[in-house]
Amino acid sequence: MNKKRVLLVEDDPNLGAILEDYLSLKGKFEVTLCTDGDEGLKAFTSKDFDICILDVMMPKKDGLSLGKDIRKINSTIPIIFATAKGMLEDKAEAFGLGGDDYITKPFRIEELLLRINALLKRVTNQESSQEEKAKTFNIGEYVFDYQSQVISRGEEQQKLSTKEAELLRLLCLKMNDVLTREEALLQIWHDDNYFNGRSMDVFLSKLRKYLREDPKVEIINVHGKGYKLLVSS
């Protein structure tokens, strides 16, 4: 199972180290620790994260400003603000900036872990609900019906195998965004070993062939990451 990735931005080196160790060991998270807002923003723009924990009072760029910048880049990622300040105005500003939760120092680390897990579970449930609704996809001139495993273009139809349909569905759910190789292998084959990877490459070649009549549709390799279904307007 993939570890959830946590961006932890905390300027207190002792607290930061304690939180990083606890979340890594007890929470089984992959934690990136930054000590100021500028460093945190740089990390956020260079890696993918599942949740952010931001201290409010920090040098260079405070946590609220950082949260605002993160929201401009990603409008849905869960953000927890942490601070020694318990004033109502700070909480109101944090939630106004799109914060999902607010925890006041000193706090029990176990409580923070519970809040993180609750937010991640909520996001997962929302994504599952959205994915369940997505059964038909428009791909340029094509229509892909996932349930019947058919790609249509006008009167032309192409029946897909189960693996082809599952792979195309994942690409559609991430349309114009990167579908990582690991994510595709684990979701479809439940194992990201070399042989499954080679098998997936064959299915990708077939999908490219099925979609080749529309020049605005392309499945590209993203070096070192995975694949992207590009559909231009």
Side-chain angles (χ1 to χ4, degrees):
M1 182 181 293
N2 290 340
K3 288 185 177 182
K4 294 293 185 180
R5 292 150 299 190
V6 176
L7 175 60
L8 172 62
V9 189
E10 169 59 61
D11 67 324
D12 182 330
N14 293 324
L15 178 58
I18 291 170
L19 291 175
E20 181 182 21
D21 288 345
Y22 186 89
L23 294 177
S24 298
L25 296 172
K26 294 288 187 180
K28 307 298 184 184
F29 296 115
E30 180 183 319
V31 181
T32 297
L33 174 62
C34 301
T35 56
D36 63 62
D38 286 344
E39 186 184 345
L41 183 59
K42 185 177 180 180
F44 186 81
T45 55
S46 62
K47 294 175 64 178
D48 292 328
F49 293 96
D50 296 292
I51 191 167
C52 301
I53 304 166
L54 313 179
D55 182 29
V56 171
M57 299 297 292
M58 291 189 297
K60 296 185 179 180
K61 184 190 289 289
D62 65 82
L64 294 175
S65 298
L66 174 57
K68 188 175 181 180
D69 289 339
I70 287 174
R71 272 287 168 260
K72 291 177 183 177
I73 301 168
N74 187 317
S75 62
T76 60
I77 187 168
I79 299 176
I80 298 176
F81 289 102
T83 183
K85 297 169 67 176
M87 297 177 65
L88 183 61
E89 305 87 65
D90 299 306
K91 293 186 179 182
E93 187 174 359
F95 287 118
L97 289 171
D100 297 275
D101 206 348
Y102 188 109
I103 192 165
T104 303
K105 299 177 183 176
F107 54 79
R108 295 175 65 242
I109 303 179
E110 295 86 352
E111 179 186 355
L112 177 62
L113 181 58
L114 287 172
R115 294 188 184 208
I116 291 171
N117 286 329
L119 281 175
L120 290 175
K121 183 177 181 181
R122 188 183 77 188
V123 170
T124 299
N125 289 340
Q126 288 173 346
E127 290 177 348
S128 297
S129 176
Q130 290 170 357
E131 290 181 8
E132 185 64 29
K133 294 175 184 176
K135 300 294 186 184
T136 305
F137 303 89
N138 293 313
I139 313 171
E141 297 175 2
Y142 297 93
V143 176
F144 168 44
D145 187 323
Y146 171 66
Q147 284 192 311
S148 63
Q149 298 180 196
V150 170
I151 298 174
S152 304
R153 180 174 177 262
E155 295 183 359
E156 300 174 6
Q157 289 193 338
Q158 174 65 54
K159 181 70 174 179
L160 304 183
S161 70
T162 298
K163 287 283 195 296
E164 289 169 350
E166 289 178 350
L167 183 54
L168 183 55
R169 175 176 172 273
L170 290 181
L171 287 164
C172 287
L173 289 170
K174 295 279 186 114
M175 192 176 295
N176 295 319
D177 200 357
V178 176
L179 170 66
T180 67
R181 188 175 178 85
E182 182 184 36
E183 180 182 354
L185 286 169
L186 291 175
Q187 287 206 35
I188 299 173
W189 281 269
H190 309 294
D191 192 330
D192 60 351
N193 65 47
Y194 171 80
F195 298 103
N196 287 337
R198 295 294 292 174
S199 179
M200 184 168 68
D201 290 338
V202 172
F203 287 116
L204 283 165
S205 296
K206 289 183 177 181
L207 290 177
R208 290 187 177 105
K209 181 180 177 181
Y210 301 152
L211 300 170
R212 67 185 176 186
E213 295 301 322
D214 187 348
K216 295 181 180 179
V217 177
E218 187 178 10
I219 299 174
I220 64 169
N221 292 334
V222 181
H223 182 69
K225 292 187 176 180
Y227 313 96
K228 184 182 292 189
L229 174 60
L230 285 177
V231 181
S232 56
S233 56

